[in-house]
Amino acid sequence: MQEKVLIVEDETDMADLLKYNLTEKGYHPVLSSNGREALEIIEKEVPDLVLLDLMMEQVDGWEVCSSIRSHTNETIKRLPIIMLTALSEAEEKIIGLRLGADDYVTKPFNMDELILRIQNQLRKKRVEDELMERLRRGNDIPALFYHEVKNQLMIIGAYSHLIAKESITRDKKEQFSEILNNTASAISEYLEGMSLFSKLEKGEKKIRLEKFSLREALNKIILSYKNAAVERKIRVETDYTEETNIVELNSIAMKMILSNLIGNAIKYNKKNGSVFVSTKKDGDRLIITIEDTGLGIDPVDIPHIFDKFYRSRSVDGHIDGTGIGLYIVKTLVNAMEGEIEVESTLGSGSKFMATFNSALNHQPL
């Protein structure tokens, strides 16, 4: 079966040239001359890849890219996007990459290079489709690892490519290096958390507690989701009480728990929504609350929401996910003798509350 490539290009000669070369390589090209028409085509017949010109009238390439990445349909949301741009400034390319483009090519481009980039993106899509199918069928931890770190690896690849350019200023190189370091740290912390979770699930390890700053951990996690929140115009508010700053829990487990809950609160929220993160002391108990104004959970799903690979019917098939995040949260919370509960109203939002009985019963640092 021919793989379908949607060419979104308003210059007729360029569109015809791309169509001819893609046809010669065995692809099925579909043409669109503007962003609005392209989005309509995607809704009717989902392509395998989008070649997207940036500078178009009416709806430009950035808006098309943003619409695809924020789509509620999982298949559309994961479409590979290669941006075609006459802009050579690094800042313009960074905007596209932040909006979710997988690659970019600067005009005028070498056709053989473009074909290779298309082949690479389609190859990655086939691998990801297979892994996602394995995830849907059951417990496949390697597939889960790939799914979770794929976006971070794409960021590392994109910014490494930009840093290598001689035209980049020293300030930009320092900025990009910081992004690379933060992304690498996020991958490392995720793998540490998954290793701990895997051992706890198998009963191979007892959890170790240590004192650390909960406020610092929360702020770092919220910062890591800044781009996702800004893109969807979601406001994140916090309210930490001073007496809950230093806690005695497992820092790796807590970062995994908080990253899952805060990430979900943003991911399953509505545009222009809000997320509220708070901590409070109740005797020796620590209570952490993450509340959102998002899609909410069907009452039928709430008893199963922490089950392994369970996905709420309100999001399954519409928003990308694995159905294991909340199971990991519950496993790690329980390992620290805590409790996790949820209150939710379908269409109005959800509130997750994690309670730890002795997290504050310690001597100050």
Side-chain angles (χ1 to χ4, degrees):
M1 184 177 177
Q2 286 182 309
E3 289 173 301
K4 188 183 300 180
V5 177
L6 175 60
I7 301 168
V8 190
E9 171 62 67
D10 59 357
E11 294 181 15
T12 304
D13 290 344
M14 176 61 71
D16 289 342
L17 178 64
L18 289 167
K19 180 180 179 181
Y20 172 80
N21 280 275
L22 288 174
T23 302
E24 286 291 298
K25 293 295 181 179
Y27 297 109
H28 172 48
V30 177
L31 297 183
S32 173
S33 60
N34 64 76
R36 182 173 289 109
E37 181 187 42
L39 291 173
E40 291 173 358
I41 290 172
I42 289 170
E43 291 288 344
K44 294 176 183 176
E45 45 176 330
V46 182
D48 295 292
L49 181 142
V50 179
L51 279 180
L52 182 60
D53 184 30
L54 270 185
M55 307 305 291
M56 296 181 292
E57 295 182 1
Q58 297 180 348
V59 178
D60 62 29
W62 284 310
E63 190 172 344
V64 173
C65 183
S66 180
S67 295
I68 291 172
R69 289 296 178 250
S70 61
H71 205 283
T72 56
N73 182 292
E74 178 184 334
T75 303
I76 293 175
K77 186 175 182 177
R78 290 172 43 237
L79 274 176
I81 300 172
I82 299 178
M83 284 190 164
L84 305 176
T85 174
L87 303 171
S88 59
E89 291 296 323
E91 197 68 35
E92 306 294 342
K93 296 168 185 173
I94 290 168
I95 293 172
L97 293 169
R98 282 180 174 167
L99 287 174
D102 298 282
D103 202 352
Y104 65 86
V105 177
T106 304
K107 298 177 183 178
F109 50 79
N110 179 286
M111 188 61 70
D112 290 336
E113 179 188 353
L114 176 61
I115 295 296
L116 283 173
R117 289 178 183 269
I118 291 171
Q119 290 172 346
N120 286 339
Q121 290 301 326
L122 288 172
R123 188 182 303 115
K124 286 197 290 185
K125 180 179 182 293
R126 288 192 292 270
V127 171
E128 185 178 347
D129 286 346
E130 181 182 345
L131 290 171
M132 289 299 292
E133 182 58 32
R134 285 162 59 186
L135 270 175
R136 291 188 186 100
R137 289 199 301 264
N139 189 349
D140 192 329
I141 295 300
L144 176 65
F145 280 174
Y146 176 85
H147 175 77
E148 294 296 336
V149 304
K150 178 180 70 76
N151 289 338
Q152 286 95 329
L153 292 174
M154 284 170 52
I155 291 171
I156 288 176
Y159 280 96
S160 297
H161 179 72
L162 289 172
I163 285 175
K165 289 185 173 292
E166 294 181 0
S167 58
I168 296 293
T169 65
R170 178 179 295 180
D171 287 345
K172 286 294 181 186
K173 283 190 176 182
E174 289 178 357
Q175 179 187 342
F176 297 164
S177 294
E178 183 179 0
I179 292 171
L180 286 173
N181 288 334
N182 290 341
T183 305
S185 295
I187 292 174
S188 177
E189 289 177 358
Y190 171 77
L191 294 177
E192 276 189 300
M194 284 303 295
S195 175
L196 174 62
F197 158 73
S198 181
K199 290 175 181 177
L200 288 170
E201 189 185 34
K202 295 174 183 176
E204 297 175 357
K205 186 180 180 72
K206 288 188 176 181
I207 204 153
R208 181 177 62 85
L209 306 182
E210 69 267 356
K211 296 174 186 175
F212 66 96
S213 170
L214 177 61
R215 178 185 300 172
E216 184 178 319
L218 279 165
N219 286 338
K220 185 177 179 181
I221 290 165
I222 291 169
L223 183 62
S224 73
Y225 285 105
K226 180 180 178 181
N227 286 342
V230 169
E231 181 183 331
R232 304 188 64 226
K233 298 180 181 178
I234 293 170
R235 184 177 66 258
V236 180
E237 299 178 357
T238 60
D239 182 18
Y240 313 139
T241 59
E242 184 62 34
E243 54 200 355
T244 60
N245 182 25
I246 303 301
V247 299
E248 189 167 12
L249 293 164
N250 183 281
S251 61
I252 294 173
M254 285 305 298
K255 288 173 184 176
M256 197 76 170
I257 291 165
L258 297 171
S259 184
N260 267 291
L261 293 177
I262 293 171
N264 282 351
I266 293 171
K267 180 178 181 178
Y268 297 109
N269 216 317
K270 303 168 185 173
K271 282 191 176 181
N272 301 302
S274 61
V275 174
F276 183 65
V277 181
S278 68
T279 65
K280 72 176 182 178
K281 183 178 185 293
D282 181 14
D284 287 335
R285 297 195 313 159
L286 165 68
I287 302 174
I288 304 172
T289 302
I290 291 100
E291 187 172 3
D292 65 65
T293 58
L295 303 176
I297 304 167
D298 192 307
V300 176
D301 294 319
I302 287 180
H304 309 286
I305 203 68
F306 295 105
D307 293 352
K308 195 173 188 178
F309 293 111
Y310 186 86
R311 298 205 73 209
S312 171
R313 65 196 66 201
S314 61
V315 299
D316 192 25
H318 301 288
I319 298 179
D320 191 16
T322 61
I324 197 174
L326 290 178
Y327 172 74
I328 291 172
V329 167
K330 185 174 178 63
T331 301
L332 295 176
V333 168
N334 289 348
M336 292 182 284
E337 299 182 354
E339 297 177 356
I340 180 80
E341 55 185 325
V342 59
E343 297 174 359
S344 186
T345 302
L346 190 61
S348 298
S350 302
K351 180 196 290 186
F352 285 84
M353 293 155 287
T355 303
F356 301 93
N357 292 326
S358 303
L360 303 174
N361 187 19
H362 58 79
Q363 295 297 319
L365 287 175

